[in-house]
Amino acid sequence: MGIAFILSIGNVIGGQFLNAWFLNKYGTESTAVITSDVETSSTLNDRYIHDYEAIVKKQNGSYVTTFFSTTTAAIYPIKNAIRIPRKETRFPVKFIPGYEKNIVILYDRSDEGKMLLKYEKRKPLKKQGYNTKPIPGILNLSATTALPSKTI
């Protein structure tokens, strides 16, 4: 009985992360769209918890409805942040065929996630005063080859 209690506590703490890892490793990729986003009266870290309803595209092209909340969503890669795509925006997910209601959100591969990663990579350059926008007349200038915005 003691080991069952310890495992149940471990599941409460880490089950969501293990589920996200497992679905990312062995799941089949598809897409989903959040169709409902309802703010609850409960909070987590001074932010309201949301209940979501989404439709997931199955392998045969039909759709299945699933539900999750801010606190139960499986998100990969595992980070110290809860990022859920916006309502009515298609985003990548993975699931085990036959269990399409249990999904992992692949946030970094969504359009929002890609934009956030791009922003986070440019943030240190902007802090130091570098211009990350292309300069007319210079071909293929990107954030990795940004020039100082000040004349030296």
Side-chain angles (χ1 to χ4, degrees), residues 49-119:
I49 294 173
H50 290 243
D51 286 333
Y52 300 95
E53 183 176 337
I55 55 172
V56 180
K57 187 173 185 180
K58 296 168 63 171
Q59 286 180 307
N60 65 7
S62 65
Y63 290 86
V64 65
T65 303
T66 189
F67 304 90
F68 57 91
S69 77
T70 306
T71 57
T72 63
I75 305 167
Y76 196 86
I78 299 165
K79 295 182 180 179
N80 189 22
I82 301 170
R83 294 200 171 101
I84 309 233
R86 287 177 296 190
K87 184 178 169 185
E88 299 177 1
T89 304
R90 188 175 304 275
F91 56 92
V93 297
K94 283 190 177 181
F95 59 82
I96 301 298
Y99 300 96
E100 291 85 359
K101 290 185 175 210
N102 183 18
I103 61 171
V104 63
I105 298 170
L106 305 173
Y107 186 79
D108 285 358
R109 293 178 49 197
S110 70
D111 291 340
E112 279 180 56
K114 289 176 185 177
M115 287 181 0
L116 181 64
L117 287 172
K118 189 176 182 179
Y119 171 77

Side-chain angles (χ1 to χ4, degrees), residues 27-42:
T28 300
E29 191 165 339
S30 186
T31 59
V33 175
I34 293 175
T35 56
S36 174
D37 176 356
V38 177
E39 185 177 88
T40 68
S41 59
S42 302

